[in-house]
Amino acid sequence: EEDPSSSFMCLLKKKKELRCLEEVVEEKKEAFRERLEVIAKQWRDLHARRTQLKAHVERSGKAVQENEMLRNQALMKASKDREENIKKENELLRAKRELEALRKQHQKLCQKLPKYSVFKRYLEDVVEVSQFRDIEEVISFYKSLMRSRKELLQSQQWHKDMTEQARMLLDQYRAEKGAEMLQCENELLQLKQHLDQVQSDIPVWEAQWIDIQNRAAKKSTKLRAIERAIHSLFH
């Protein structure tokens, strides 16, 4: 079954469309009458211009060249006037078609009005047994509920989108940090291996250092003996 409030809203909407169409039809009729008057005036002006042009040509006693130039100008003017008349006739035909389409649409709306009258009676009964003052207030309350429902759905969708986005960012952060931790663990393992290698090399380097110190001490003793011998030779 159809929703009574929705059906009545459709009824009001159709009534409003009907009023708008009636206004448009009247406007189109007025515009159509104005166009007819303009076209009639243009036809009279064109006939007058043609008469004047013909009289002017007949009175003209100029040379053949001037007559030819005037004739060409008249032909160009007549051609331009014909184009304007064709354009006006096309506009008139288009206006007639639009008027016919509006008339048919008006008839369809008039045929649909009885279908929605039962919903109007239903809403009137609702107003009588409720706290609403009139049908417009019922419709306004219904529209308010629909807006609230739409805003609630939009808010729920927004929160859902934000939650999904936050979850994706958290997964991405976890993945990045996991990769960084794995890299740090690999570097730490390499450093530990290097440290173990260095610690294993310390006794060797210590032995080499003691050997170097011993050789340096021997060379230092020899150097002092040589210095004493040289000093003795000089004396």
Side-chain angles (χ1 to χ4, degrees):
E1 295 182 357
E2 297 182 351
D3 186 3
S5 58
S6 300
S7 301
F8 184 70
M9 289 176 63
C10 292
L11 173 61
L12 295 180
K13 183 177 179 182
K14 295 299 180 180
K15 283 188 175 182
K16 185 176 180 182
E17 291 178 356
L18 180 59
R19 290 194 296 271
C20 293
L21 285 174
E22 291 175 348
E23 294 176 357
V24 172
V25 168
E26 291 299 325
E27 293 176 357
K28 293 291 183 180
K29 287 182 178 178
E30 183 64 24
F32 180 71
R33 288 193 294 270
E34 293 177 356
R35 288 182 182 178
L36 287 178
E37 293 176 358
V38 171
I39 292 174
K41 184 177 181 301
Q42 289 177 349
W43 273 106
R44 291 193 297 271
D45 294 339
L46 176 60
H47 183 71
R49 286 198 297 270
R50 286 180 176 177
T51 303
Q52 293 174 0
L53 183 61
K54 182 178 180 181
H56 178 71
V57 171
E58 291 175 354
R59 290 193 304 268
S60 178
K62 296 182 180 181
V64 176
Q65 184 177 1
E66 294 178 354
N67 290 333
E68 185 66 20
M69 181 180 65
L70 291 174
R71 189 179 71 84
N72 292 334
Q73 290 179 353
L75 290 174
M76 291 176 62
K77 182 66 176 175
S79 177
K80 185 176 181 180
D81 291 339
R82 283 195 299 272
E83 292 177 357
E84 290 292 332
N85 291 332
I86 292 173
K87 183 178 179 181
K88 295 298 181 181
E89 290 175 357
N90 291 332
E91 291 179 357
L92 181 61
L93 181 60
R94 185 168 57 252
K96 288 181 179 179
R97 291 175 179 173
E98 292 177 357
L99 183 61
E100 183 64 24
L102 290 173
R103 187 180 293 108
K104 291 181 180 179
Q105 190 173 2
H106 179 267
Q107 292 176 355
K108 290 181 180 179
L109 291 175
C110 291
Q111 293 174 359
K112 289 181 179 179
L113 282 176
K115 178 181 177 181
Y116 297 101
S117 60
V118 62
F119 300 108
K120 180 182 178 182
R121 291 194 298 270
Y122 173 78
L123 289 177
E124 289 174 350
D125 294 338
V126 171
V127 172
E128 291 180 358
V129 299
S130 65
Q131 73 277 14
F132 298 106
R133 293 190 298 270
D134 50 27
I135 295 176
E136 294 294 335
E137 187 175 356
V138 175
I139 296 174
S140 177
F141 181 73
Y142 174 78
K143 290 181 178 180
S144 178
L145 290 177
M146 293 301 295
R147 285 194 300 269
S148 300
R149 180 177 180 273
K150 182 179 179 181
E151 293 173 357
L152 179 61
L153 292 176
Q154 291 177 348
S155 177
Q156 291 176 350
Q157 184 63 35
W158 182 81
H159 285 293
K160 181 179 178 181
D161 295 340
M162 290 298 101
T163 302
E164 183 66 20
Q165 185 176 359
R167 187 186 63 79
M168 293 175 61
L169 292 175
L170 180 60
D171 294 340
Q172 182 179 358
Y173 177 79
R174 287 176 175 173
E176 292 176 354
K177 292 304 176 182
E180 292 179 0
M181 290 179 64
L182 182 60
Q183 183 178 0
C184 291
E185 290 176 356
N186 293 332
E187 292 177 355
L188 182 61
L189 180 60
Q190 293 177 0
L191 290 174
K192 185 175 182 302
Q193 293 175 353
H194 183 67
L195 178 61
D196 294 339
Q197 182 66 35
V198 171
Q199 288 177 346
S200 63
D201 293 340
I202 287 176
V204 178
W205 289 104
E206 288 179 346
Q208 292 180 357
W209 175 247
I210 294 172
D211 183 59
I212 291 170
Q213 287 179 334
N214 292 333
R215 286 182 292 178
K218 292 179 180 179
K219 290 181 179 180
S220 178
T221 302
K222 290 181 180 179
L223 182 59
R224 285 195 296 271
I226 292 170
E227 288 178 349
R228 287 195 296 269
I230 292 172
H231 184 70
S232 300
L233 289 174
F234 280 106
H235 288 286

